[in-house]
């Protein structure tokens, strides 16, 4: 009898250990039941104020009623780039550390130690993705030889699907990211979700460089960003292989790992910082997704844009980078 019980317990543990993790979209963004109340948080049938029957004037105003600085419907304050405890749900386990920077940085302010000074401050962002439906050039969009890129409108819902369920059979994707970002063309990339939600960065002193991500989603993310910024996708060896494009001819590796043959063909430099030099690379190695407070001067602040224009320059040239100037390069290569 006892032996049989032990066997059953052991079998149950084995099932728990080997069964796939259950991913779910968070907040009011999916997993809807047949009689869900969620729709009423964002839509009105007869008295809507915005297109698509929204309760707010625009979709981004709607997002900010919960996720903005003065919002109260979500713990993630994306305006100030900080995690707070302010909605009426007590999560278990916690989904972030209160007062710590969000992984995406912020749209107006960010809590980062971009100067590697071991103090975290909240500072105005110097660059961010657009979020209010205004237009900008998606650098590198389109195929080889198609110029610096074309202009599109960008807002929260370009990247995120408010209804979630973006993966196969309505399954969750990381941060409800659309598989085909709006305005990107026809490609699809499903970014796999992480298991436990954690919205804040690992490092309590605000260092954004070296942030860890689930390995699969980290690499998925490079393919996802390049649904819009097509020609920034650069596998190993792209630093010494001409892509054939006149603007984006030679490019730093932006997905996967270096060739591993230790600098024979420009592989991971043997003199590099061992903490980072051999880690897989993705766009999120060097960039945040929302906005950064990094500062730029001298050479770093005067790099021309891909269309050759030189303005804006200085801090405005911070390009969502995680560290001031070219700290991102130095942290890996340690020259
Ligand atoms: C968190 C806010 C939010 C919730 C909750 C929500 N929606 Fe939406 N919904 C939006 C936004 C924002 C848009 C406009 C999206 C855009 O402009 O791309 C939209 C668009 C739509 C559309 C038209 C475009 C499309 O995706 O088909 C339908 C239909 C819709 N919602 C139905 C629903 C239903 C039904 C529910 C409840 C099960 C629901 N929504 C819950 C925010 C929400
Ligand atoms: C009614 C309040 C409300 C509105 C409106 C709302 N959200 Fe959320 N959202 C939440 C809550 C609650 C969560 C759970 C995490 C948290 O507490 O911040 C969340 C989570 C998210 C996440 C993370 C999802 C995940 O699975 O990890 C994203 C991304 C997001 N929201 C984007 C948006 C966007 C874009 C809009 C506008 C179209 C929007 N939200 C509108 C309440 C809201
Ligand atoms: C829906 C299309 C779209 C997606 C997806 C997208 N971007 Fe962008 N990106 C744009 C547009 C449009 C601009 C120019 C306007 C702006 O600054 O937002 C831009 C600008 C940028 C800039 C320059 C910002 C500046 O002010 O200097 C960087 C860096 C960038 N994107 C990186 C990324 C990374 C990294 C990802 C993936 C996490 C990504 N993008 C995903 C559309 C997109
Ligand atoms: C260019 C695409 C893009 C746009 C525009 C965008 N997001 Fe995001 N967002 C992302 C990506 C990618 C992540 C994941 C970042 C990470 O984990 O490093 C993210 C993460 C988030 C999160 C989780 C917290 C965090 O900071 O990591 C929330 C909440 C969110 N976005 C809401 C919004 C809202 C609200 C807007 C508009 C005000 C918006 N996003 C605009 C791509 C975008
Ligand atoms: C090794 C670090 C690194 C990686 C990885 C990286 N970037 Fe960048 N990115 C930079 C730097 C540095 C700049 C500033 C301009 C420069 O020096 O070329 C920049 C600038 C940009 C810009 C602004 C336009 C420009 O070229 O100046 C966009 C858009 C961009 N990156 C997108 C991406 C995307 C998308 C990925 C992933 C496919 C990516 N980056 C991966 C370091 C990186
Ligand atoms: C995550 C660590 C990491 C960061 C950050 C990083 N690099 Fe690299 N770098 C690599 C790896 C790995 C390779 C090898 C790529 C390959 O195998 O093609 C490389 C290759 C290079 C090469 C040689 C290219 C070739 O193919 O000959 C140069 C030059 C270079 N990096 C400069 C930079 C600069 C400048 C920056 C900052 C914008 C930077 N790196 C940021 C890891 C990094």
């Amino acid at each position: 009898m006892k032996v049989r019980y032990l066997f059953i317990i052991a079998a149950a543990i084995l099932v728990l250990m080997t069964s796939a993790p259950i991913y779910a979209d968070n907040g009011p963004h999916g997993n809807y039941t047949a009689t869900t109340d969620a729709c009423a948080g964002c839509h009105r049938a007869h008295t809507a104020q915005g297109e698509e029957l929204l309760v707010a004037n625009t979709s981004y105003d709607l997002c900010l009623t919960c996720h903005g600085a003065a919002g109260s419907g979500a713990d993630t304050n994306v305006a100030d780039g900080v995690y707070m405890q302010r909605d009426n749900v007590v999560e278990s386990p916690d989904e972030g550390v209160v007062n710590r920077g969000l992984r995406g940085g912020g749209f107006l302010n960010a809590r980062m130690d971009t100067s590697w000074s071991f103090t975290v401050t909240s500072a105005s962002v110097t660059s961010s993705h657009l979020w209010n439906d205004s237009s900008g050039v998606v650098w590198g969009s389109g195929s080889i030889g198609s110029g610096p890129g074309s202009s599109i409108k960008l807002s929260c819902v370009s990247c995120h699907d408010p209804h979630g369920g973006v993966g196969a059979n309505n399954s969750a994707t990381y941060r409800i990211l659309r598989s085909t970002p709006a305005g990107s063309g026809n490609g699809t990339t499903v970014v796999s979700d992480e298991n436990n939600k954690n919205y804040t960065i690992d490092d309590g002193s605000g260092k954004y460089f070296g942030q860890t991500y689930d390995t699969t989603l980290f690499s998925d993310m490079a393919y996802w960003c390049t649904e819009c910024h097509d020609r920034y996708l650069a596998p190993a060896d792209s630093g010494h292989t001409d892509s054939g494009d006149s603007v984006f001819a030679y490019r730093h590796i932006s997905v996967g790992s270096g060739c591993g043959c230790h600098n024979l063909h420009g592989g991971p430099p043997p003199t590099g910082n061992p903490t980072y030099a051999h880690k897989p690379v993705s766009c999120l190695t060097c960039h945040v997704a929302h906005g950064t407070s990094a500062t730029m001067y001298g050479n770093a602040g005067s790099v021309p844009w891909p269309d050759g224009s030189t303005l804006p320059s200085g801090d405005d040239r911070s390009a969502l980078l995680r560290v001031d100037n070219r700290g991102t390069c130095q942290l890996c290569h340690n020259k």
Side-chain angles (χ1 to χ4, degrees), residues 237-283:
D237 296 333
S238 301
H240 48 262
T241 310
D242 189 346
S243 70
D245 193 89
S246 57
V247 182
F248 308 92
Y250 294 90
R251 302 157 303 166
H252 194 277
I253 183 174
S254 67
V255 66
S257 307
C259 76
C261 39
H262 291 273
N263 231 15
L264 269 181
H265 305 285
T271 55
N273 178 346
T275 316
Y276 308 117
H278 295 88
K279 290 253 170 82
V281 185
S282 170
C283 312

Side-chain angles (χ1 to χ4, degrees), residues 1-8:
M1 226 17 200
K2 264 189 185 154
V3 173
R4 185 182 291 176
Y5 269 121
L6 275 177
F7 175 75
I8 291 171

Side-chain angles (χ1 to χ4, degrees), residues 60 63-64 67-68 74 76-78 81 102-107 129-132 154-160 174-175 177 198-200 211 213 217 221 224-225 284 287-290 322:
Y60 55 88
C63 309
L64 294 178
H67 291 283
T76 46
N77 170 354
V78 300
L102 294 176
R103 285 196 187 170
F107 284 104
H129 264 124
L130 297 168
W131 49 273
N132 60 357
L154 196 64
S155 74
C156 315
V157 295
S158 307
C159 298
H160 300 287
Y174 187 59
R175 305 309 187 226
L177 291 173
N198 183 357
Y199 295 108
T200 52
Q211 172 63 36
Y213 288 88
L217 97 77
M221 192 65 82
W224 184 82
C225 300
L284 293 186
H287 297 287
V288 290
H290 285 168
R322 290 174 180 257

Side-chain angles (χ1 to χ4, degrees), residues 97-328:
V97 180
V98 171
N99 287 332
R100 191 176 283 187
L102 294 176
R103 285 196 187 170
F107 284 104
L108 302 178
N109 300 297
R111 239 170 242 226
M112 310 172 74
D113 176 15
T114 59
S115 61
W116 226 251
S117 64
F118 295 85
T119 46
V120 55
T121 44
S122 174
S124 303
V125 300
T126 47
S127 63
S128 77
H129 264 124
L130 297 168
W131 49 273
N132 60 357
D133 225 12
S134 42
S135 302
V137 177
V138 202
W139 305 114
S141 62
S143 51
I144 296 285
S146 61
S150 49
S151 191
I152 61 163
K153 281 186 178 175
L154 196 64
S155 74
C156 315
V157 295
S158 307
C159 298
H160 300 287
D161 185 333
H163 309 119
V166 172
N169 304 319
N170 250 4
S171 61
T173 54
Y174 187 59
R175 305 309 187 226
I176 53 173
L177 291 173
R178 288 184 189 277
S179 56
T180 303
S184 66
N186 301 318
T188 55
T189 299
V190 176
V191 185
S192 56
D193 203 8
E194 64 176 357
N195 197 9
N196 287 327
K197 302 285 173 189
N198 183 357
Y199 295 108
T200 52
I201 57 162
D202 301 339
D203 188 286
S205 60
K207 285 179 193 53
Y208 271 66
F209 191 82
Q211 172 63 36
T212 53
Y213 288 88
D214 172 88
T215 318
T216 316
L217 97 77
F218 195 53
S219 125
D220 288 349
M221 192 65 82
Y223 294 99
W224 184 82
C225 300
T226 54
E227 288 294 343
C228 279
H229 298 283
D230 305 68
R231 283 166 286 157
Y232 282 78
L233 188 68
D237 296 333
S238 301
H240 48 262
T241 310
D242 189 346
S243 70
D245 193 89
S246 57
V247 182
F248 308 92
Y250 294 90
R251 302 157 303 166
H252 194 277
I253 183 174
S254 67
V255 66
S257 307
C259 76
C261 39
H262 291 273
N263 231 15
L264 269 181
H265 305 285
T271 55
N273 178 346
T275 316
Y276 308 117
H278 295 88
K279 290 253 170 82
V281 185
S282 170
C283 312
L284 293 186
T285 299
C286 302
H287 297 287
V288 290
H290 285 168
T292 182
S293 56
T295 58
M296 301 286 141
Y297 60 77
N299 294 326
S302 51
V303 174
W305 295 83
D307 63 359
S309 58
T310 51
L311 290 175
S313 60
D315 290 347
D316 290 342
R317 197 63 179 95
S318 64
L320 312 182
L321 289 168
R322 290 174 180 257
V323 190
D324 289 352
N325 294 319
R326 289 299 179 267
T328 38

